[in-house]
Amino acid sequence: QVQLVESGGGSVQAGGSLRLSCAASGRTFSLNAFGWYRQAPGKQRELVAAITRRDTTNYADSVQGRFTISRDRILDTVYLQMNNLEPEDTAVYYCAGYSGGWSEPPNSWGQGTQVTVSS
C-alpha cells in the first residue's frame, strides 16, 4: 500500500503562486510515476502534470509554462509549483501514484487539497 498526503493548498489572487506537496510513504518502490490531478465543481477530474522516476514530465496544455512538477527522491515527495495562477485553476488538487505509466489509471490517490484563485 502507498499513502499520499497533499499539502500547500490555499487561497490566492490571480497572478499569484502556490506550491503543492505530496508526501509518499509505504510501498513507494512499487510506483513508476506520480501525477497531479484537479477537479473543479461540476467538471471531470483532469490530469494536470505527471513525472516519472526518470524525471520525464508531462503537462496539460492549460498549465504548460505556468506549472512545474518536480520530485525529491530522498524525501519521496512530489511538488507542483504553480505560478501566474488564474481563476480557472480553482479546484481540488489530488496527488496520484502509478505503478505503470501516466496513461493508465492511478493506483493510489491522496485526499486532495483545495486551491482557490480569486480575480
Side-chain angles (χ1 to χ4, degrees):
Q1 293 284 355
V2 175
Q3 293 78 42
L4 302 174
V5 179
E6 302 99 332
S7 60
S11 297
V12 66
Q13 289 191 327
S17 298
L18 284 173
R19 189 177 81 156
L20 305 182
S21 299
C22 172
S25 61
R27 298 170 61 88
T28 58
F29 59 85
S30 66
L31 300 180
N32 289 324
F34 294 88
W36 284 99
Y37 288 73
R38 67 185 181 188
Q39 187 167 20
K43 294 188 177 181
Q44 288 189 334
R45 191 174 296 189
E46 62 173 349
L47 178 62
V48 174
I51 187 168
T52 68
R53 284 199 174 275
R54 294 185 178 183
D55 292 334
T56 301
T57 57
N58 180 51
Y59 296 94
D61 290 343
S62 58
V63 306
Q64 183 76 44
R66 300 188 298 123
F67 290 12
T68 303
I69 189 170
S70 61
R71 186 169 66 89
D72 186 313
R73 298 168 186 246
I74 296 176
L75 297 179
D76 256 341
T77 299
V78 181
Y79 303 98
L80 185 67
Q81 177 67 44
M82 305 185 294
N83 297 328
N84 194 20
L85 283 160
E86 304 169 352
E88 292 74 22
D89 296 317
T90 295
V92 178
Y93 284 70
Y94 298 90
C95 180
Y98 307 82
S99 58
W102 60 55
S103 60
E104 303 174 11
N107 300 93
S108 303
W109 290 98
Q111 81 287 354
T113 185
Q114 177 71 46
V115 171
T116 302
V117 184
S118 58
S119 57

